[in-house]
């Protein structure tokens, strides 16, 4: 059995007579989406937690959805992803008084997925940088406390909590990441590495993995052609869309000019005998005429022909 | 039965100025390989925007035929199963703007044009030259013996030439051709040398014409040497193959019903062709050769390739 299984992370949009639509538009579109990702060798799927409701409505239950997936070659939902990019008066991740609300809301999603063998609850561990400021050691400690609680809650339901650090997240630099993991419980708070996001933030994902290998519970493998050199991460409302220097941040693995050293990362995974899922993600792949289906096929061509021979 | 799948590049090559860059080709090759395909069918073409369409353009663009083969191999594509040629399309390099197998004066030019493809196919791992057998429907032509003999003379000569290169010629009848039923096709096939000239069955075009592709295959099983495997969403119930420029006004423009898309992927729930039944017929008939999967008019070529790849792996193989 292979050590690595590949899963696909939810982002999807394709042309239709109604304009661009995603897989939640209809059962037919979901069918086409799942068949497309299964066709290129993906066997799991990551989902935004807030889409579980749409899935239940479409299929009657999440168990029915799992059967639908299995019939098309997809084993299961592997990850649930959640984030709160903006702070709001009633929901500040770095406000200790709101911790119960945060954990309770996440437990709602985790309970929905009970029995589905979902493996990871993946979160962005802070609001965007601008809304998290001032990013102080004290504030990072507060955030660590929230995620320690959430991690214990998730573990109680059989899930590992993984923190996914967007380049524009309140915890983004190597120093901030190190401080955060120093304050979090290694049994309950894991690191979920998004290769492109770390590179954009100036953090080497290979070195990051080497440092935290024992705490890593998953990956999003995607590439970028840019490092944020001018504090684009502070852009509002969404640095992934409105940064003044870079209209498109993310590309599929193997893209010309890609800055992520995936072969080096694969060699590191082999050294540490990583076993588990790797997520393929194509956030905003259609900016500038790109295509989610093509990016997915190209990424899996790269995974199969370049990465798997290194470690599979 | 030994069925070897290939995939038509025509879905990427949607007209002038498209699918020109080498990076476009590489992305298509990798996409197809990721979907489980290792061979492609190339449409013949003309002009600087068709760098795969002719031997001279391949050599200019890739340095040599070997150069193209190496680029394909790097992407996991090991063969060009076939070239497909429509004599009515312009050939700018040869000053040809509408050759026809029904014009004896054109036979030599068609033969000369096709020599290049027969010559390079073996190096590219392929062995089928597919041609549009007859022109569009026209009130001035009928599929009588005299007319079919004109076409047969042309294709017998091409077939003999190709056979000397180890390539076989397959006659393709699309849904807007002047041949409207199996008897029309038989009228031409019967006049062609079975050793050199065979039939290419296109499942979707047969369905659009109102024919049963399974019955079509069964009738001509002994002559079928090439299959184009695709599905269709509509029949030409209005007889719009009679429109002028039917490839544009009917297939491209959608005809009077404004049909947005005539073709679809193999497993589409609305598809008219029972692909599983057709495959079973191929097996029963002992078909041994290429099945070229196509998705003409695909709005998203990668999606079509992925859905077709999924169908062949998850359903057709079952």
């Amino acid at each position: 059995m292979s050590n690595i299984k590949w899963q696909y992370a939810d982002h999807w949009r394709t042309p239709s007579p109604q304009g661009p639509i995603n897989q939640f538009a209809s059962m037919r579109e979901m069918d086409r989406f799942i068949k497309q990702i299964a066709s290129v060798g993906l066997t799991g799927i990551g989902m935004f937690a807030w889409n579980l409701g749409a899935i239940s409505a479409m299929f009657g239950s999440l168990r029915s959805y799992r059967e639908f997936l299995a019939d098309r070659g997809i084993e299961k939902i592997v990850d649930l992803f959640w984030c709160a990019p903006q702070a709001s008066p009633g929901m500040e991740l770095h406000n200790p008084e709101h911790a119960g609300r945060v954990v309770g809301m996440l437990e709602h999603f985790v309970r929905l997925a009970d029995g589905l063998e979902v493996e990871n609850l993946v979160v962005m561990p802070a609001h965007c940088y601008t809304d998290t400021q001032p990013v102080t050691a004290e504030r990072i400690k507060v955030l660590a406390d929230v995620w320690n609680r959430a991690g214990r809650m998730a573990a109680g339901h059989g899930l590992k909590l993984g923190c996914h650090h967007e380049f524009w997240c309140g915890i983004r630099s190597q120093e901030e990441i190190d401080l955060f993991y120093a304050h979090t419980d290694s049994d309950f708070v894991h690191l979920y590495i998004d290769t492109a996001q770390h590179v954009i933030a100036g953090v080497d994902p290979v070195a990051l993995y080497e440092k935290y290998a024992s705490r890593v519970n998953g990956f999003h493998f995607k590439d970028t052609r840019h490092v944020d050199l001018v504090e684009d991460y502070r852009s509002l409302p969404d640095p992934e869309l409105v940064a003044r220097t870079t209209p498109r941040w993310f590309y599929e693995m193997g893209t010309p000019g890609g800055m992520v050293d995936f072969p080096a990362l694969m060699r590191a995974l082999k050294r540490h005998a990583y076993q588990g899922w790797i997520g393929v993600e194509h956030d905003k792949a259609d900016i500038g005429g790109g295509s989610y289906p093509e990016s997915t096929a190209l990424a899996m061509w790269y995974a199969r022909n370049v990465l798997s021979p290194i470690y599979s | 039965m030994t069925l070897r799948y290939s995939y038509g590049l025509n879905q990427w090559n949607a007209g002038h100025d498209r699918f020109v860059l080498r990076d476009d080709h590489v992305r298509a090759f990798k996409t197809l390989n990721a979907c489980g395909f290792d061979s492609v069918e190339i449409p013949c073409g003309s002009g600087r925007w068709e760098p795969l369409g002719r031997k001279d353009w391949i050599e200019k663009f890739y340095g040599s035929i070997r150069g193209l083969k190496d680029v394909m191999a790097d992407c996991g594509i090991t063969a060009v199963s076939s070239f497909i040629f429509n004599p009515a399309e312009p050939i700018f390099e040869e000053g040809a703007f509408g050759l026809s197998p029904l014009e004896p004066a054109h036979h030599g030019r068609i033969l000369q044009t096709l020599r290049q493809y027969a010559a390079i196919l073996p190096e590219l791992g392929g062995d089928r030259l597919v041609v549009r057998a007859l022109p569009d429907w026209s009130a001035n032509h009928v599929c009588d013996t005299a007319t079919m003999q004109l076409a047969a003379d042309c294709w017998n000569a091409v077939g003999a030439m190709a056979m000397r290169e180890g390539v076989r010629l397959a006659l393709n009848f699309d849904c807007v051709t002047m041949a409207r039923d199996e008897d029309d096709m038989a009228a031409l096939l019967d006049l062609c040398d079975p050793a050199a000239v065979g039939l290419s069955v296109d499942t979707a075009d047969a369905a659009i014409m109102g024919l049963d592709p399974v019955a079509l295959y069964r009738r001509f099983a002994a002559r079928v040497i090439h299959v184009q495997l695709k599905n269709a969403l509509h029949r030409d119930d209005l007889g719009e193959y009679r429109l002028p420029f039917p490839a544009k006004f009917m297939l491209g423009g959608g005809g009077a019903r404004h049909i947005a898309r005539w073709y679809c992927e193999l497993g589409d729930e609305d598809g008219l062709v029972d692909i599983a039944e057709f495959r079973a017929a191929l097996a029963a008939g002992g078909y041994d050769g290429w099945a070229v999967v196509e998705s003409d008019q695909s709005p998203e070529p990668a999606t079509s390739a992925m859905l077709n790849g999924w169908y062949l792996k998850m359903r057709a193989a079952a």
Side-chain angles (χ1 to χ4, degrees), chain A residues 30 41 49 63 71 106 141 150 152 160 203 208 230 238 272 287 292 301:
Chain A
M30 182 61 76
R63 287 185 184 278
D71 184 51
L106 288 170
K141 174 70 169 58
R152 284 192 190 86
K160 287 183 175 178
V203 174
L208 188 66
V230 294
D238 183 349
H272 292 276
I287 290 176
Y292 281 94
W301 182 91

Side-chain angles (χ1 to χ4, degrees), chain A residues 69-276:
Chain A
L69 294 177
D71 184 51
R72 287 154 181 77
I74 298 294
E75 182 182 331
K76 64 177 179 178
I77 301 169
V78 180
D79 300 335
L80 294 179
F81 181 91
W82 178 90
C83 66
Q86 267 71 50
S88 60
M91 173 78 84
E92 288 180 341
L93 294 174
H94 47 265
N95 184 338
E97 294 179 7
H98 296 169
R101 183 174 299 165
V102 172
V103 175
M105 178 200 54
L106 288 170
E107 186 162 23
H108 162 72
F109 290 124
V110 167
R111 284 187 187 281
L112 288 177
D114 273 344
L116 297 178
E117 300 179 70
V118 175
E119 298 187 15
N120 302 310
L121 174 63
V122 184
V123 300
M124 183 166 107
H127 301 299
C128 68
Y129 199 88
T130 303
D131 283 9
T132 306
Q133 290 181 126
V135 180
T136 61
E138 292 73 23
R139 185 151 284 184
I140 289 175
K141 174 70 169 58
V142 170
L143 288 164
D145 290 342
V146 172
W147 297 116
N148 280 331
R149 281 182 61 180
R152 284 192 190 86
M153 177 279 295
H157 293 271
L159 279 73
K160 287 183 175 178
L161 178 86
C163 294
H164 176 284
H165 301 264
E166 279 75 358
F167 79 89
W168 44 278
C169 165
I171 302 172
R172 58 183 301 280
S173 69
Q174 184 70 58
E175 182 182 13
E176 290 156 358
I177 289 171
D178 288 340
L179 193 56
F180 178 74
Y181 286 97
H183 286 306
T184 48
D185 186 331
S186 59
D187 288 338
F188 298 110
V189 179
H190 304 272
L191 169 61
Y192 196 101
I193 290 179
D194 184 307
T195 52
Q197 298 278 10
H198 288 301
V199 166
I200 296 167
V203 174
D204 177 359
V206 181
L208 188 66
Y209 174 68
E210 291 280 10
K211 185 170 187 174
Y212 290 103
S214 64
R215 294 187 70 169
V216 169
N217 68 327
F219 298 87
H220 281 160
F221 271 23
K222 63 178 185 270
D223 212 338
T224 184
R225 298 173 181 171
H226 306 281
V227 174
D228 178 6
L229 301 173
V230 294
E231 299 191 354
D232 271 335
Y233 65 88
R234 296 179 184 275
S235 309
L236 289 176
D238 183 349
E240 293 185 0
L241 286 174
V242 304
R244 61 197 164 98
T245 64
T246 309
R248 179 178 171 182
W249 288 102
F250 305 118
Y251 294 84
E252 68 277 357
M253 286 183 275
T255 190
M259 302 184 75
V260 176
D261 190 344
F262 289 108
L265 185 53
M266 248 7 226
R267 288 191 291 273
L269 264 61
K270 183 179 182 180
R271 276 196 297 279
H272 292 276
Y274 176 82
Q275 290 188 317

Side-chain angles (χ1 to χ4, degrees), chain A residues 40-66:
Chain A
V40 294
L42 292 147
T43 58
I45 186 166
M47 279 189 60
F48 292 113
W50 49 78
N51 283 334
L52 289 174
I55 291 291
S56 292
M58 187 179 286
F59 290 90
S61 71
L62 292 171
R63 287 185 184 278
S64 296
Y65 183 56
R66 186 170 183 182

